[in-house]
Amino acid sequence: MNFQWYPGHMTKAKRMMQENIKLIDLVIELVDARIPMSSRNPEIDELGKNKARLILLNKSDLAEEKQTETWAEYFKERGYSVMKINSRKGGGVKSIYGVIQDACKEKIERDRKRGILNRPVRAMVVGIPNVGKSTFINALAGKACTKTGNKPGVTKGKQWIRLNKNVELLDTPGILWPKFEDQTVGLRLALIGSIKDEILNVEELAMELTGYLVKKYPGILEAKYTIEESEDQYECLKQIAQSRHCLLKGNELDTEKAARLLLDDFRNGRIGRITLETPKEYE
């Protein structure tokens, strides 16, 4: 399966971010804790060079805790400020203000020396589609100040949000990059829902997931769906369909329905806390 999704509005969004970067002190980059590297747009590093950087490992409640710790260390070693958060439930969100001030301490000190006091830190919030930017901003502001949705591509234009006298945020649309050099990255993005399901073969996608889970998390599918795990990915999917009574007319197994059910269970953490990549792969 070939993974690619780069609608026209993403080109426009990227141009808007390039135009606004000169107004920014800090780039806050949200990544998905289950795929911290695959969910990073490689163009952001170029865009945010010479700016303070903060990486937020979002949806950390869905990822394996030990692996998330390892990823946090990985990014810290490379000079980023890092925090684990769960913006949907508000975990870690309130301590962000202190982290923002800390990440921008050099800028605040420079302002102080020039006699500029109390100028708010201006931060740009960036990330790929469906990584939780709008939910994070709403949790931080304590009110619904941006539109949110569990589909990629809800935020279309730019929005400035004043959080308090110390911090202003620029929300930006989620953007992918034009070409995935590594299709494994595309696969992982599809699994977490950053590429629209409508353009994918969900059965193939679900079979890739069963293959990974049987290998890396043996017993997890068995516990969730009371099936006998198999390295035969289609067999696994058929068993899930049977276990969950996903049937077509004539009692034929509805593997597409089972695939959607499996993907939904994975994306919402109902199978368990799962991480799809480790720092070792990138060292």
Side-chain angles (χ1 to χ4, degrees):
M1 192 164 25
N2 188 48
F3 300 95
Q4 209 57 55
W5 185 54
Y6 194 71
H9 74 266
M10 291 191 182
T11 311
K12 191 177 162 193
K14 184 183 164 190
R15 207 174 306 124
M16 181 268 285
M17 287 160 75
Q18 286 166 331
E19 285 163 10
N20 284 284
I21 196 73
K22 57 184 176 294
L23 308 170
I24 300 299
D25 306 304
L26 170 70
V27 175
I28 300 175
E29 182 181 2
L30 268 80
V31 300
D32 190 302
R34 295 166 294 180
I35 55 165
M37 193 61 92
S38 293
S39 59
R40 292 193 72 207
N41 184 331
E43 295 175 345
I44 297 297
D45 276 341
E46 181 57 32
L47 181 78
K49 66 180 181 192
N50 308 322
K51 301 288 175 185
R53 300 294 300 277
L54 169 58
I55 288 183
L56 300 179
L57 292 156
N58 194 24
K59 306 189 183 184
S60 57
D61 58 316
L62 303 176
E64 205 182 320
E65 205 166 349
K66 192 174 157 205
Q67 293 292 0
T68 305
E69 287 294 341
T70 312
W71 274 112
E73 285 309 310
Y74 175 89
F75 288 123
K76 280 175 192 166
E77 283 166 14
R78 282 151 185 80
Y80 298 93
S81 296
V82 186
M83 249 193 101
K84 296 177 296 178
I85 64 163
N86 162 17
S87 53
R88 213 169 31 148
K89 295 175 185 163
V93 171
K94 291 306 169 197
S95 27
I96 293 271
Y97 288 111
V99 178
I100 287 174
Q101 296 296 315
D102 197 48
C104 294
K105 57 181 184 281
E106 287 176 23
K107 172 255 173 207
I108 293 164
E109 184 56 28
R110 274 198 313 273
D111 279 357
R112 195 184 62 77
K113 283 179 179 168
R114 291 180 190 150
I116 305 166
L117 300 174
N118 302 325
R119 184 169 79 83
V121 168
R122 300 191 105 184
M124 182 187 277
V125 183
V126 300
I128 63 165
N130 214 28
V131 84
K133 293 189 310 305
S134 298
T135 306
F136 158 69
I137 291 169
N138 291 345
L140 195 55
K143 59 184 184 295
C145 52
T146 71
K147 287 182 182 175
T148 63
N150 60 359
K151 283 194 167 153
V154 172
T155 308
K156 288 289 197 307
K158 72 170 179 180
Q159 299 184 67
W160 276 104
I161 295 124
R162 190 178 177 90
L163 295 179
N164 56 29
K165 65 181 194 315
N166 297 321
V167 183
E168 289 179 3
L169 291 186
L170 175 61
D171 186 21
T172 60
I175 59 167
L176 292 168
W177 51 107
K179 192 171 190 323
F180 303 136
E181 298 302 330
D182 180 357
Q183 282 296 301
T184 309
V185 168
L187 169 65
R188 289 167 180 162
L189 290 170
L191 285 170
I192 66 160
S194 287
I195 297 173
K196 283 188 174 176
D197 283 344
E198 290 84 344
I199 63 166
L200 300 167
N201 181 323
V202 289
E203 286 172 87
E204 280 185 36
L205 192 59
M207 287 193 289
E208 291 283 358
L209 180 60
T210 62
Y212 181 83
L213 294 175
V214 167
K215 192 175 169 190
K216 299 286 185 183
Y217 293 87
I220 205 165
L221 289 174
E222 201 170 308
K224 173 70 180 166
Y225 300 108
T226 50
I227 63 167
E228 207 171 295
E229 288 183 0
S230 163
E231 285 183 16
D232 179 334
Q233 297 172 354
Y234 190 58
E235 179 56 35
C236 254
L237 198 55
K238 283 199 311 191
Q239 285 194 53
I240 292 169
Q242 201 151 21
S243 164
R244 287 295 186 264
H245 308 294
C246 300
L247 301 170
L248 296 162
K249 277 181 184 170
N251 274 357
E252 194 187 328
L253 293 174
D254 188 345
T255 47
E256 187 186 333
K257 188 178 177 184
R260 292 187 189 281
L261 179 111
L262 173 66
L263 290 169
D264 195 55
D265 283 347
F266 162 68
R267 288 169 183 168
N268 290 293
R270 289 190 288 266
I271 295 174
R273 297 177 72 156
I274 291 157
T275 299
L276 297 177
E277 62 183 5
T278 66
K280 278 183 183 166
E281 295 171 47
Y282 294 93
E283 279 166 0

